[in-house]
Amino acid sequence: MTTKAATETPAPSARKPAFPFFDLKGQYAHIREEVLAAVARVFDSQHFIYGPEVLKFEEEIAAYVGTQFAIGCASGSDALLLPLMALGIGPGDEVITPPFTFVATAGSIARLGARPVFADIEPGTFNLDPEMIERAITPRTRAILPVDLFGLIADMDPIMEIAARHGVAVVEDAAQTIGAKYKGRNAGAMGPVGCFSFYPTKNLGGAGDGGIITTNDPDLAHKLKLLHEHGSPRRYEYEVVGANSRLDALQAAVLRVKLRYLEDWTEARIGNAARYDHLFTNSTCRDQVVLPKTPEESRHVFNQYVIRVPKRDQLRQFLQQAGIATEIYYPYPLHLQPAFAHLGHKPGDFPESERASAEVLALPIYPEMTPAQQVAVVSAITDFYSQA
Ligand SMILES: Cc1ncc(COP(=O)(O)O)c(C=O)c1O
């Protein structure tokens, strides 16, 4: 596949950004002593698998999300895979999901031999369009896998209603959305099961890979506990074929420290998003830039602040030269990726996802970002369009 964006964008080393896209070092500087103490606690105990850190973290996440159970696992990707396994999804089954998402969403379906059935997104929110879900339902549909993209929960009421009407499950990909709300309900508690990632750049990011699954269903929780531990209820007894997908005690210990800061960091992200909105609305580039939408009754937690712009790749290059790092999530929708060629799609099949891939640009939004840095970003974008 030719990578248009990649060829047009100078190598990141060409010029060191004046400020980065993420600032994990800045975040770490604030919590260094607490993180190191937590890591030392695990080393001193030599209890690296399960143990009190994992149990307490699972309890703390269940309390934060408002579910009865939370089951740690090895990654956000496994947090999607294990519930689909628990639902018995496999060859001959279909699961409806958007093509405009991270690869793991559809990958988790394909890894089980089931068919990802793509449904297009709603352009304002980048999330699954319920009307498109309805059109994609067939007698083979077993589940809907909506993604809460960039920090905004999908339009879950109609999705839950469609799922109930057709008797199919809902698995919520909340990998990017911890702390978000939809009509007073929390991300990960929308449907029967929620899936989170602790990839380091997530709003709650670990010191490596990690994930967690949330549910109120005791049967599902039981199956998930079995599946993430080789299908084993007791040592050397195996009820089903499972995986080794545990959350490390070291990750749990670090994440427990960071969970205490999550609300402050989330509020900082929301504040930064409001500042961008204000700066763009008052700039001469306001007619070029489409701002992210937060529907009423939603709390968007801005894992990413994603704008739509004309001449996106040229703008990105201009910003890079000005020392401003940006990202493109996602430059190619999944239906056009070689990994999903077996589904037989072609350009034009999901026009809103394709248009989003061509127009989106994620701006830095990390909690430690200063107002002056945000002013610099918006000024540079304004300069680009005033020269264009
Ligand atoms: C929407 C979405 N789903 C799934 C994942 C997979 O999570 P992980 O990278 O922890 O496996 C990610 C994270 O990158 C994601 O953004």
Side-chain angles (χ1 to χ4, degrees):
M1 182 165 54
T2 47
T3 52
K4 189 162 171 281
T7 52
E8 286 179 0
T9 306
S13 58
R15 180 164 177 164
K16 196 176 169 346
F19 50 91
F21 187 71
F22 300 110
D23 187 14
L24 292 180
K25 283 188 181 169
Q27 183 190 70
Y28 177 60
H30 285 292
I31 57 172
R32 186 172 180 277
E33 299 312 316
E34 284 175 88
V35 168
L36 292 181
V39 168
R41 209 164 56 228
V42 176
F43 269 92
D44 288 344
S45 75
Q46 289 291 299
H47 209 144
F48 296 111
I49 304 291
Y50 292 131
E53 296 292 342
V54 175
L55 281 178
K56 281 187 193 148
F57 180 63
E58 288 177 339
E59 278 170 24
E60 287 163 7
I61 287 288
Y64 182 78
V65 171
T67 53
Q68 216 180 325
F69 307 97
I71 300 107
C73 61
S75 66
S77 302
D78 277 9
L80 293 166
L81 187 74
L82 294 166
L84 295 176
M85 286 172 78
L87 291 168
I89 284 168
D93 295 334
E94 295 181 352
V95 179
I96 298 174
T97 202
F100 188 66
T101 176
F102 183 63
V103 64
T105 314
S108 63
I109 303 162
R111 281 171 68 188
L112 294 173
R115 184 181 175 86
V117 172
F118 292 124
D120 213 349
I121 56 167
E122 195 277 309
T125 61
F126 301 110
N127 283 330
L128 261 183
D129 181 340
E131 210 181 301
M132 297 297 158
I133 299 177
E134 190 82 59
R135 288 193 211 167
I137 298 259
T138 78
R140 289 177 299 282
T141 306
R142 292 284 316 282
I144 303 170
L145 207 176
V147 182
D148 302 333
L149 207 66
F150 302 144
L152 178 71
I153 297 174
D155 193 5
M156 291 304 275
D157 278 354
I159 293 174
M160 295 305 297
E161 187 275 319
I162 294 168
R165 189 153 32 84
H166 293 276
V168 303
V170 175
V171 176
E172 181 193 357
D173 183 344
Q176 303 183 357
T177 314
I178 194 155
K181 288 184 193 295
Y182 171 92
K183 302 184 183 175
R185 282 132 63 200
N186 292 333
M190 290 288 126
V193 59
C195 315
F196 292 99
S197 162
F198 301 124
Y199 187 80
T201 56
K202 297 292 190 259
N203 288 15
L204 180 62
D209 279 312
I212 210 160
I213 307 158
T214 48
T215 184
N216 280 317
D217 178 340
D219 287 341
L220 190 60
H222 173 72
K223 283 187 189 152
L224 292 168
K225 281 180 194 162
L226 277 183
L227 285 168
H228 90 316
E229 176 65 37
H230 298 295
S232 172
R234 284 167 299 281
R235 234 175 153 210
Y236 301 119
E237 290 176 36
Y238 310 103
E239 274 182 23
V240 289
V241 175
N244 171 359
S245 185
R246 298 174 290 234
L247 180 68
D248 285 347
L250 273 170
Q251 294 303 335
V254 171
L255 288 163
R256 288 186 68 212
V257 171
K258 294 179 95 175
L259 182 58
R260 296 202 283 272
Y261 293 89
L262 181 61
E263 275 303 300
D264 288 349
W265 292 336
T266 301
E267 282 304 318
R269 284 175 183 274
I270 293 169
N272 289 349
R275 187 172 300 108
Y276 269 141
D277 286 352
H278 177 78
L279 289 167
F280 278 120
T281 308
N282 291 293
S283 95
T284 54
C285 69
R286 66 177 165 269
D287 294 336
Q288 264 84 22
V289 178
V290 179
L291 302 178
K293 181 172 152 185
T294 304
E296 257 182 62
E297 300 184 63
S298 288
R299 184 196 199 204
H300 193 322
V301 293
F302 293 99
N303 182 235
Q304 304 299 344
Y305 184 91
V306 175
I307 57 174
R308 283 177 186 262
V309 284
K311 301 187 186 162
R312 188 265 319 271
D313 294 336
Q314 293 98 308
L315 171 63
R316 187 170 189 224
Q317 194 164 2
F318 180 89
L319 294 173
Q320 175 81 28
Q321 279 157 7
I324 295 168
T326 60
E327 287 290 344
I328 298 173
Y329 302 110
Y330 296 94
Y332 309 102
L334 296 182
H335 67 284
L336 301 181
Q337 294 277 0
F340 297 101
H342 64 285
L343 300 175
H345 289 299
K346 57 181 186 325
D349 281 359
F350 302 100
E352 288 304 343
S353 296
E354 291 169 35
R355 194 162 68 82
S357 285
E359 292 179 357
V360 288
L361 189 67
L363 305 180
I365 182 95
Y366 50 88
E368 298 75 18
M369 205 176 179
T370 63
Q373 286 176 317
Q374 291 192 269
V375 168
V377 174
V378 177
S379 304
I381 295 174
T382 308
D383 286 350
F384 174 80
Y385 286 110
S386 60
Q387 289 166 24

